[in-house]
Amino acid sequence: MNNKRMLTGDRPTGKLHIGHYFGSLQNRVKLQDEYETYILVADVQALTDNFNNPEKVKQNVKEIVMDNLAVGINPEKSTIYLQSMIPEVAELTVFYSNLVTVSRLQRNPTVKTEIAQKRELFGESVTYGFLGYPVNQAADITAFEASIVPVGEDQLPLIEQTREIVRKFNSIYGDTLIEPEAYLGENKRIKGLDGNEKMGKSLGNAIYLADSEDEISRKVMSAVTDPARIKKDDPGNPDICMVAYYHNLFSKSEIKNICEECKAGKRGCVACKKQLIKNILKELQPIQEKRRYYEQRPELVKEILMEGTKNARKITKQTMEKVKKAMKLDYFA
Ligand code: ATP
Ligand code: MG
């Protein structure tokens, strides 16, 4: 029953960062040659924790599209679309909400962590919409009958939730939906500049793909290093140094030497940070160049998203027909 369709996406809550680049974007660029690819700009989901800031969501829609195009998503091969313009996804969300209990959502580890991080917004309780965003995400994936979903590690409990909904739906209404699988790359969770286990847009600990040389330099210069290392020739411990951690990603051919020199006290932190800045800039240079091309052509970006959304809806309408038939809601068919 499995097709070769892939769905993945991002919330327009900020520009994309190097966590996305290593954790998700590189995979989707590679997979777009093999799979029929759908890339979702999840504006409805972004509103679940930004309902009081619609302008932020709106502004970031085009940033997300440009970031995807800049890293190599090819609009000829991949369909980039806007979630809020696919009404079938909202409809499916309502149908699926009967198949999930409130306590199951409350136990979802990702939802739990995120609610704890958003105390300031939600206070003592949490909105129905935020608690239910995994149900909405199940609708996103199944509306396209996607068989794989390339994601970062934080998304695994959400994909599991989708799989449960699919199984429940199929067991009640008959075999209709495709059970998707998560696709995890080699770098499934990139840490934040502050040492947090996850770099995140909403966590203020990210290096963005579109950051200027000054911003990148400032962020790297203030990254956390081995606190026990005070003088330049003190031996360092790269295992607890964020600069060494990012060297692992950006300085693959030099990493062995970097760690040996650090441990022997032969390499100062400032020199090490400068080398990292140089390597990050080198990696991001072609991405930023491509991004500038699209920044100068806002009409083209809009066109890509409009066209993608139009094409995406052709698929979701077909899925909705199947779902309504299975649920005996095809009254006038
Ligand atoms: P927010 O803080 O608003 O949730 P985010 O930085 O988590 O933003 P998302 O748009 O939620 O970004 O995630 C888009 C995709 O990128 C998801 O597949 C997610 O798993 C992946 N991703 C996000 N952050 C990381 C990270 N630090 N390492 C690896 N993958 C990541
Ligand atoms: Mg997230």
Side-chain angles (χ1 to χ4, degrees):
M1 197 172 165
N2 279 4
N3 57 20
K4 294 271 276 179
R5 209 173 271 162
M6 152 182 136
L7 181 129
T8 189
D10 314 288
R11 292 154 31 94
T13 51
K15 293 177 184 165
L16 297 183
H17 49 66
I18 60 172
H20 296 112
Y21 181 59
F22 290 103
S24 166
L25 298 173
Q26 284 184 337
N27 280 337
R28 61 178 88 156
V29 170
K30 201 171 68 199
L31 289 166
Q32 72 178 340
D33 290 326
E34 215 181 307
Y35 286 84
E36 189 185 322
T37 298
Y38 292 87
I39 295 176
L40 138 92
V41 182
D43 57 343
V44 177
Q45 191 187 119
L47 283 168
T48 59
D49 54 339
N50 292 279
F51 53 84
N52 52 358
N53 201 351
E55 192 54 37
K56 172 180 162 188
V57 174
K58 180 176 184 192
Q59 285 309 321
N60 282 305
V61 166
K62 53 181 187 289
E63 303 292 349
I64 294 287
V65 178
M66 288 194 291
D67 280 328
N68 270 280
L69 295 168
V71 296
I73 288 297
N74 178 349
E76 301 288 320
K77 295 182 189 165
S78 299
T79 305
I80 308 179
Y81 72 94
L82 199 53
Q83 187 189 22
S84 61
M85 294 191 71
I86 311 286
E88 289 76 22
V89 167
E91 274 185 86
L92 286 175
T93 306
V94 174
F95 298 155
Y96 296 169
S97 62
N98 296 327
L99 310 177
V100 193
T101 64
V102 172
S103 69
R104 174 67 182 89
L105 291 167
Q106 284 167 332
R107 279 199 315 272
N108 184 308
T110 302
V111 176
K112 241 166 118 170
T113 310
E114 289 175 346
I115 291 176
Q117 282 162 355
K118 296 174 204 300
R119 280 267 147 74
E120 212 180 303
L121 175 70
F122 292 130
E124 282 310 296
S125 187
V126 64
T127 58
Y128 168 64
F130 190 81
L131 185 66
Y133 91 74
V135 185
N136 185 230
Q137 200 165 315
D140 289 325
I141 299 168
T142 54
F144 287 85
E145 303 189 309
S147 52
I148 66 158
V149 190
V151 284
E153 193 180 44
D154 63 300
Q155 291 286 314
L156 287 184
L158 299 165
I159 306 296
E160 193 44 45
Q161 186 91 68
T162 297
R163 289 166 62 87
E164 280 177 34
I165 291 174
V166 168
R167 290 199 291 268
K168 185 117 191 215
F169 186 102
N170 287 347
S171 74
I172 298 172
Y173 305 114
D175 240 0
T176 312
L177 304 174
I178 290 185
E179 192 173 329
E181 270 176 48
Y183 179 98
L184 277 189
E186 188 191 336
N187 298 302
K188 48 188 192 260
R189 180 170 33 82
I190 305 300
K191 293 186 192 180
L193 277 163
D194 54 355
N196 186 306
E197 284 306 308
K198 183 183 173 302
M199 180 176 283
K201 295 189 221 93
S202 310
L203 300 170
N205 62 2
I207 295 177
Y208 294 95
L209 296 174
D211 271 351
S212 67
E213 182 169 348
D214 281 356
E215 283 162 321
I216 291 171
S217 303
R218 184 181 51 75
K219 287 177 181 176
V220 171
M221 290 318 266
S222 61
V224 181
T225 53
D226 176 0
R229 198 170 185 214
I230 295 157
K231 295 196 299 306
K232 190 174 158 210
D233 46 7
D234 287 340
N237 178 2
D239 294 344
I240 53 170
C241 171
M242 290 315 292
V243 178
Y245 176 81
Y246 295 125
H247 267 305
N248 264 306
L249 299 166
F250 287 98
S251 320
K252 279 223 155 58
S253 62
E254 300 153 329
I255 188 66
K256 199 160 159 261
N257 203 11
I258 290 170
C259 289
E260 275 166 14
E261 285 184 15
C262 171
K263 284 183 197 159
K266 285 188 187 155
R267 162 186 290 266
C269 289
V270 172
C272 196
K273 285 175 171 174
K274 287 199 168 143
Q275 188 179 351
L276 176 61
I277 295 166
K278 193 176 107 228
N279 291 352
I280 295 179
L281 291 172
K282 193 167 156 223
E283 179 88 25
L284 296 188
Q285 194 268 335
I287 297 173
Q288 298 197 344
E289 205 173 298
K290 203 157 182 197
R291 200 181 200 279
R292 274 191 291 278
Y293 174 88
Y294 287 106
E295 281 167 0
Q296 287 156 7
R297 292 165 180 79
E299 285 306 314
L300 175 61
V301 175
K302 196 169 154 191
E303 176 83 27
I304 290 171
L305 188 59
M306 266 166 55
E307 197 54 30
T309 305
K310 207 169 84 196
N311 289 332
R313 234 196 129 191
K314 289 182 195 152
I315 308 284
T316 59
K317 278 184 176 166
Q318 286 168 10
T319 309
M320 186 48 77
E321 268 180 38
K322 291 186 207 170
V323 164
K324 284 198 164 164
K325 186 159 184 258
M327 293 182 74
K328 318 255 177 258
L329 296 169
D330 56 340
Y331 303 110
F332 309 119

